[in-house]
Structures are given as C-alpha cells and as structure tokens.
Amino acid sequence: MYLSKVFAPRLREVPQDADTISGQLMLRAGLLRKSASGIYTYLNLGLRVKQRIEEIVRQEMDSHGAQEILMPLLMPAEPWQATGRWDLYGDEMFKLTDRKGRSFCLGPTHEELVTSVVGSERHSYKELPFNLYHITNKYRDEIRPRYGLIRSREFTMMDAYSFDRDEASIELNYALMFEAYNNIFHRVGLTFRPIQADSGAIGGSSSHEFTVQADNGECSYAACDNCGYAANLELSKAHPATSPENVTGTPPALESIATPGIHSIEEVTRFFAVDPGTVLKSILYIADDKPWLLVVRGDDDINEVKLRKAVQAREGRLATDEEVLSILGVHPGSVGPMQTAVPVVVDEMVRRDVAYTVGAGKDGFHIRNAFFGRDFDSTVVADIRTVRAGDLCPVCGHPLHTATGIEVGHTFKLGTKYSIPLHASYVDEDGSEKPYFMGCYGIGIGRTLAAIIEQHHDDKGIVWPMSVAPFQVVVVPLNKGDDAVWHAALELYEELEKAGIDVILDDRGESAGVKFNDADLMGFPIQVVVGNSFLKTGNFEVTLRSNKTDKKAVAASEAIAFIIDLVRTTE
Amino acid sequence: MYLSKVFAPRLREVPQDADTISGQLMLRAGLLRKSASGIYTYLNLGLRVKQRIEEIVRQEMDSHGAQEILMPLLMPAEPWQATGRWDLYGDEMFKLTDRKGRSFCLGPTHEELVTSVVGSERHSYKELPFNLYHITNKYRDEIRPRYGLIRSREFTMMDAYSFDRDEASIELNYALMFEAYNNIFHRVGLTFRPIQADSGAIGGSSSHEFTVQADNGECSYAACDNCGYAANLELSKAHPATSPENVTGTPPALESIATPGIHSIEEVTRFFAVDPGTVLKSILYIADDKPWLLVVRGDDDINEVKLRKAVQAREGRLATDEEVLSILGVHPGSVGPMQTAVPVVVDEMVRRDVAYTVGAGKDGFHIRNAFFGRDFDSTVVADIRTVRAGDLCPVCGHPLHTATGIEVGHTFKLGTKYSIPLHASYVDEDGSEKPYFMGCYGIGIGRTLAAIIEQHHDDKGIVWPMSVAPFQVVVVPLNKGDDAVWHAALELYEELEKAGIDVILDDRGESAGVKFNDADLMGFPIQVVVGNSFLKTGNFEVTLRSNKTDKKAVAASEAIAFIIDLVRTTE
C-alpha cells in the first residue's frame, strides 16, 4: 500500500478529552476517530490491527476445540426477562422497541441468546461438550466512557460459551480456554497475568481475569511473586498472620477515656500514641435498606464488593451523619463496636488477642483495651477489608504487592445459572433431561488493542509487536525526486509485497523529518530508509522501531532476504 | 473438522413461516437459526460461507482501490437530522436514547457517518480520490421481513463510499466499482445482471442494481437480449414505437355514446369491440395531498415511482370513490381526460395520432375518437407507465422481456447530496473549499448468500459453488466400525487437511443413507466415499455434488492428488 493512499489523517495536537495514552496515540497516528462518547470509527490502520488480533484469537479458539458462530446484536427482551437481567442491567443496557412495540436490547453480552439457541435443539450427552464463540459488537451505556478503546459504549468482543454435562466435565473446557487465552495474549505481545476474580453480574462459581499491568488500569489486584497467587482486590484475601497478636499474658481491663474533639482514626492514633492496627473503625452501613455496623482495623479499608457478598445485599452505601445519630444515638466519630442496636460484621483481621482502642458509643469518649469476644461481639465474622501491599499471601505467606491493570479477558464457570431459567437441557445417559453446565469466556478485542499500545509505545509514538502491526515494514525513500532512490525503493517495496510481506511505501513528497516522525508515530516494526547512504554506498538502512540506535546498512541486493528474515525473527 | 463436532443441527421438517427456498435450506442444513422476526444467528457452516463471501469482497474491493475501515452501528442523530433522513426513514429506522437522553439510531446505512468522518479532516484535492468501505451490520425495521437472509431486520452489508472532486472524476471510481462488483458476483457463482435503477431514498443522479434472477425475487426489471439494456421497472422505458399510430387520413369526429353499466376498461373494450391500447384510463390520484388526473392507455399500468417523480411528490395514492365524485363530479368508471378541474398528466405512450375511446366525464357515457391535443390536453406529458414484456427496447427497438430478481448489490452516484449539508469539503487547486462529489456502493452479504442458494440447489439440498463452500470436500466412511475403512478415511482426511483443503470428515456412526442425505443437504462440492468398493478394490468413490451420476473410482494412492486437482478445477 502507498502511504499517500491510506486514509490515516495524523494529528500533531491531542484533543483535551483523550484521557489515555492509547487513545491519544490511536488518534494521533490516524487509527481511530470518535463519532460520539464511547463510539468510534476504526480507520484502515486501526482496523488492520484489530483484524490481526481477531485472526490470532480465531486460530487459538479453533485449535482449542471452540467453533465460531455469529449471534445477532439486536435481541428480544424475553430471554433477558427470564433470567432477571432485563432489570438488573439497569441504565447500562441500551433498550429500544420495534415498530410493533416489541422490546429489544442491544446485547451487552450473549449468555441469554446462546443459551436460547442451544436450548432450542435436542442434544444427547454424547454430543457434549461443545464450545461456541463469536466475535462481534457489545453495547454498554457506560456512565463514564474513557477516550479510545479501553472503556467504550460500542465495542468488539470475542465471547465463547461452553456446554458441558456437569461441574467435573467443564474442567477440560475451562483448562483449554485458559491455555488458549495464555497463547493469545502472548502472541499479541502482552505482558499479562491471570488473576482470580469476582464473577459480578455474569454470575457463576469461578472466574479469572486476564490483566495487563498498566498505571491507568481500572482493575486493582494483589499478587504474590513467590507462589504466583494473584487475585482481584474484590476477591483477594490475606494470610491471617497479616494481623499479628499483640497481647501476651493477662488481658488488661477496659478503660474509658474522655477524648474531646478526637474523631478520626488519625486523631485517635496520635492521641493514644498507638499503632492504627490496634485501633478499630466502627462504621454504620446501609445494605439493601438495612443498617449494619462494620468493624475493621483502623488501617484497613472496607471493600464494598466483599461486604455486599457477606451480607448478601445487592446494593449498599455508607450511612449519613443523620442516620448514624438517629440509629446509634452518637456522632460518627464516636461509634463503637459495643453498640448492638444493629447487626455487627467484624472483619476477619480483627483478632481476639489484641487490645483495641475503639469508639465508646458515647460522644466525647473512647475505650482502651477492648477485646473482641470479651467486650464486643459479632453477628457475622467475614472478610470485608481490601488487601494492601505488604499483606501476606493467603497461600504461602510471602508479602503481596498490589497493582492496577487493564482487564483484557475473563473466564467464568457459569454453572446452570442460565440453562435452568432458559430451559436449556441435554438428554443424559439415563434418558432424563439435565440442564447444561455452562462456562463463558470473553476477550475485549478493542481493549486488547489499546492495552498493546499502553505497553508498546515511547515518546515518539507506537511500537507495534510484529504479530499485530498494521504493516510489518515501511520503506522510506528520502528524496522522491531522485530517480535512483525512488526506483530502488519502489522495487524493494514491490519485491517485499510479492514475498508476502505487509509493506507500506512512504511515497509522499515530504521532508525526511516528517517521514521519520510519521514512521515512528505509526510504529511499523521495521523501517527501511533509501537515501543518501544508498546513493553513496548502495546500501539501505534497516532499523527496528523498538531499537532505533541499532541501524544496519544492508546492500540492496541482499535486502529482500535480510528483511524477510527480520520479519520472521522480530517479535 | 469432524462432522460430529460441528454445531449444525439438521431438520427434516421445514417451519411454516419459511417462505423462501434459501431460508428453508439454511434452516434444514443447520446454517442458521432464527432469534426473532428478521433476526438470525449464523451457525458455524453458515458463518463459514459468509466469511468466504466477505473475503472475496475484500480482495476485489482492495484490488480496485478501495480501503477497509469500520464504522459504528450506533450513531448519533445529529448528522441524520442535518440531511433530513432522521424523519424521512420513518418507522424503518430503529431509534433509541442513551442514559443521558441523547438520541441515536441503529444505522440503516452509513452515508451520514462516513461523510462526517471524512468531513472532519482537511484534505487537499491532491489526496483525492479515495474510497472507504466497511463490512458490518445494518438495521432496518422492515414491515414484512422474509424468512432467512433475503430481507431481514439485522443484516450484513459491504458498503463503500467514494470521494471525488467532481462529476467527471467520479467516473473512474464508478467504473472500478462496477468491475469489482462484476468480479465479486462471478466469483461467488452467481448468474446476475447489472440493471439501471432508481436511486430511491439514498438519492443521487445515477444508479445500478446487481440483480440475480429468481422467481421469488422482489425486484422487477425489463431487459433486452439484443443490446443488453436492462433497467428496474421503476425506471425502465419503452421505445415510442411500442405504441403505434393507428389513424391515417382525416381524423374522425368526436362521438358521445350512452354506455349504461359500462365502467371497467374490460367492459369498455368489449362494448366497443376495440383494442385496449386504443382505450384510455383516466384516474384521479392524490400526490402530497394534491389531486392529479392521470391518463394512460387502457392496457397500461401506472408506475407510482415514475409518477411521483413526474409530479415531484414524496408520497401518493389513488383517490377514493368519494374523492372522485366530490372533485370531478362523476363516478370513477366515467372519468375522462377532458376534465380539467385538476392538472392532467398524460403518459408518453398516449399518441396524438390515435383515436381513443375515453370516459365522457359524465356518468353513463363514453366518447369515441378523442384525440390528444385536439380534444383533451395535458399539464404534463411524462413516462408514468410500467414497462411490459413485449414492449420495445428504448435503445435498439428489440422486444423486451421482464423478470424478477434479488438485488444483491447497488451502486449510486450520490453527488453532493450528503457533502453539502454535512459540510464535507476538500481544498481545491485554487484554495477554495468544495464539497466532495460522492459515490456509494453496497453489497448485501447475507442476501448474496441466500441468492447463491436460490440459484444452487436441487431437491436434495444445497449445491455450493467451490468458491464459497463451507467445506470443499466431505469424506464419508461408510462403516465406521470397520477398521480398514475408518483408517483409510481418517488418513485421507488428515492428508487433505495438511494440503490446505477445507475438508470435513463424517465420523458419525450413522447409516449410509443418513450420511448421503446429510452430505447432499449440506452441499459440500466434492464427496469422497470410503466403503465397500474400497474394501474390494482399494478405490475411493469421488462424486461432484453438482453431478451425482458421474461417480469416479480413484485408487487410494492417487486420491490426494486427484482431489486437490478437482478442488482447483471445480467451479
């Protein structure tokens, strides 16, 4: 392809709303254009990368036993109503009605539809398992879309759905998909980590997120470099030894102390000159309209996902100051764990052998030497805190670190959550109908593309991995007006194209500076310059975009073989 | 692929609503499943065919100078409001609002979006022309979707948009697309015909439809086998000699005759014993709320598309009997061309040298020897009739024939219809901004798939052309229990796969009859049977699906080369 013919308008300025590096670079390099918040057009260079990622995904899915289908995006409401998700998705789901008044949505995901398709056929256990995937758009009306492809409202996903006999037999499909995902993310050039995850609105019993470490990522996780444990912060636990005992011998007696003007944990810690790990926070929380008292260590934060799971609530929030006063009779800074007007959730890290400093449940006072079990009790003990860097690994006890990342893939064991309400069953060996045991497996194609750029760029632009580059090689003649240069460049370009290399020729009459800057911005892995050095020595200058200091002079006669080899060996 | 592993549930029964052959066969062969009226899931075999068609489309579009992009399906209302099509599309457009109340539609086509994308960049005339295409879904809320892919509500199209300087320079792009379309439809195995067409709601000055002849097609056209003229009935004309003169010498005088009980053209023709071509129909028509009197020959039918164009109306209908009585003062059967209370459109086929029999404009009477120009006149003379088989070709005078077909592709010269309201302009040589001169080019991918089946099937099932077949070869071992048979079949299958042939192995433990029926139904072009003849003579039996009487016995040792060659040479 001639660069002058590619519709890839480049920008020097970055628009103010471009809040991610990948979004900025895709816009600047002419890969993408915005049509509305969270809705984009892929221009030719961007689409080429998207298609290469999809092709790798197809190859790995096919070779791991999945088969491709294509489900519609416009879906009737009925199956969504049957599973309850028509309401559960709320404003995030785009809904519409057709000319006859029938309700439809734009699929935010496809569990309902695939289960309906499979459920309408009669399959024997002998035909199981099977695994159906498709690569198509999804629609989620995000409150805060981000610039570019990391969180958009219309986006492309590969989603696969496996149908098995039972929980034991899904292990094979789950393991195959796990392997396929590892292969896919390796092949597209990502450094990533599968982490244990909460299955959220999709539901099901077990789940992993494939996460690409990135400072601006939306997903936080804790990981252990010793044993490989890694889990989303919504799920990750810490070893009990993270919270050590601190009382030996006879536990000291309770002591009530006037603390005028002392409210926050910081103030309490300073006033009593104690470690925040020996102070307890007591917080009033409203979960599904019901009040709960939450007790965690002073240096811990409540994790609301864990908490809602612990109290089996769909939604929750902190109580207002007025609610605290009216329900517990004190101001928020003086709430204490002895207050039993409401049920109490005590975090697992609160020990029975530590003398804690706590609110007195009375304005203007705190209590020292409060013991869990002796001086206050719990309705529920549960893990409701967020793991912190330095906590000990729940598996091996090594210190954990925390990081943020971009979730590019997700695998779930769904079980029968969809097959039961949608009556999708197979005929078992004994002739009885049994619901399928399902799994689902998603990869965000656009998000993977964005994550690749987040991990592969420098201050000049994108540095594409060879496997997904829109073109593998750019040929840059430096003086188009010079016949010898132009013909040598053109011949090289045509020979490379004949050899099956994806090559682009910068045929523009621009200056060397503009051409170099654009080649760097667009990030083609191999740059071949035909210029002065060619005129003087007959050599082309071959450079890897990923290592620009290493320029190689290659004789024109050897260039084809050299470049083909370089394409094969460059990652 | 093993047939037992493909999710392609076959049906013996055809559902009652399957009103097309292609819809029935796609359902029976397990290519497609319906999710709602006009909304389908492609199963694996169907998707394979779709992808092969798309790949052929991509190759031809790319090699004819177009480049692929990908535009969104969810589109903001604003550009549609700017061109007036937000309202014009009416109920056919799926509309919705996002969580913030902003209006969107699901794109029924992409002129507005592509023009916005291109218009937001600043291009010089030097960068023109370019041609951007994408392959993605379209949404139209059809009143009457048909079963399968011929008219659905969610469907895949390739649509290309060219951007040129002016009407002269678009000719090259238009010719390139015309050639690309011819190549595409040839390569997918269709017998088709490009016909001149009306550009309808898309607008623009010139347009062709690529039409596949099919008895259940929705598009009617007239064609000349002598000179190649072909046009949609909404556009096709007839040679003036189609309506010959019939008066020589002195024109006879007007004659009013009582015709009690005579109303219809048939009754008039019989009563006066004249040819219906010498009787005139006078019809009251309401176009955009304004009445018109239409005058056509008794054997002709009004073509409402032509008529609306002639009177520049957006919509129109026949007047009711009450309206005729109140506006013209007579009953419908007695309306005559002399009535001048409303403007009169006389069809071009009404001659000035023919003595016509017409309604008298007075109940109970008709008039003989009425001459156009002498006894009645016109406000407008225009072509408002529908061409009939036997009419003479407007180009060469040879008799036309008419046919129905499926429109699989469409090309339009749009001109500046979209670039002006959406302010999409380029910088011309003299520095001034000028609106792009646009063309657009669409191919219905699903409809092409359906049309292929409509043209390539027999009473046993589908007969795929090699170029789009889901698998090129099916290997059918007849007795899976026999080790020699099974191993020979498996080896053949694996060798073919290694050689890059798309091959499927019928590994099921079904009877020969079931296997043969399914192979025929699914229509793989080459069938290789490994059975008794193999056990006796060491030969495989190779048959083309398109010619099942010609069975070839091929020695196992020569089978690979033979089949590879057959794949290459079979269309």
Side-chain angles (χ1 to χ4, degrees), chain A residues 211-252:
Chain A
T211 302
V212 171
Q213 194 175 330
D215 291 341
N216 62 357
E218 302 192 299
C219 143
S220 300
Y221 59 93
C224 173
D225 287 336
N226 185 50
C227 75
Y229 170 82
N232 191 301
L233 283 195
E234 294 168 357
L235 196 80
S236 59
K237 299 181 79 72
H239 196 282
T242 296
S243 190
E245 62 183 293
N246 77 343
V247 173
T248 49
T250 313

Side-chain angles (χ1 to χ4, degrees), chain A residues 515-546:
Chain A
K515 288 185 169 189
F516 287 146
N517 281 342
D518 282 344
D520 284 350
L521 176 60
M522 292 188 281
F524 310 116
I526 297 173
Q527 304 177 343
V528 184
V529 174
V530 185
N532 283 336
S533 133
F534 171 71
L535 288 175
K536 283 182 207 148
T537 64
N539 287 341
F540 299 148
E541 221 169 66
V542 181
T543 319
L544 289 182
R545 173 67 180 89
S546 57

Side-chain angles (χ1 to χ4, degrees), chain A residues 38 48 81 94 122 127 165 167 174 180-182 200 230 325 328 342 355 456 466 517 535 543 564:
Chain A
R48 282 172 183 267
Q81 287 160 342
F94 284 104
R122 194 175 163 84
E127 295 166 90
R165 286 177 83 173
E167 187 153 13
Y174 200 79
Y181 273 40
N182 273 302
L325 199 57
L328 299 178
V342 300
H456 297 272
M466 187 64 77
N517 281 342
L535 288 175
T543 319
I564 291 175

Side-chain angles (χ1 to χ4, degrees), chain A residues 488-559:
Chain A
L490 191 62
E491 195 185 329
L492 175 68
Y493 164 77
E494 286 172 351
E495 289 295 320
L496 287 172
E497 198 161 57
K498 250 184 249 163
I501 302 293
D502 285 315
V503 57
I504 187 164
L505 176 68
D506 189 347
D507 61 323
R508 302 172 303 163
E510 300 283 359
S511 71
V514 167
K515 288 185 169 189
F516 287 146
N517 281 342
D518 282 344
D520 284 350
L521 176 60
M522 292 188 281
F524 310 116
I526 297 173
Q527 304 177 343
V528 184
V529 174
V530 185
N532 283 336
S533 133
F534 171 71
L535 288 175
K536 283 182 207 148
T537 64
N539 287 341
F540 299 148
E541 221 169 66
V542 181
T543 319
L544 289 182
R545 173 67 180 89
S546 57
N547 181 9
K548 296 214 55 178
T549 53
D550 185 20
K551 282 191 172 56
K552 285 205 171 58
V554 181
S557 58
E558 290 158 22

Side-chain angles (χ1 to χ4, degrees), chain A residues 5 33 67 99 121 141, chain B residues 33 67 99 121 141:
Chain A
K5 296 289 172 204
R33 283 297 180 267
Q67 63 183 289
R99 66 195 306 151
E121 312 294 336
D141 197 356
Chain B
R33 284 298 181 265
Q67 62 183 291
R99 68 196 304 153
E121 312 294 336
D141 197 357

Side-chain angles (χ1 to χ4, degrees), chain A residues 146 272 368 395 401 503 512 555:
Chain A
R146 296 181 70 184
F272 287 102
R368 297 192 65 165
V395 177
H401 70 268
V503 57

Side-chain angles (χ1 to χ4, degrees), chain B residues 45 71 138 158 204 280 355 371 417 466 489 535 537:
Chain B
L45 295 181
M71 290 181 271
K138 298 279 180 281
M158 184 295 293
L280 294 184
F371 282 85
K417 182 180 155 88
M466 187 64 78
L535 289 175
T537 64

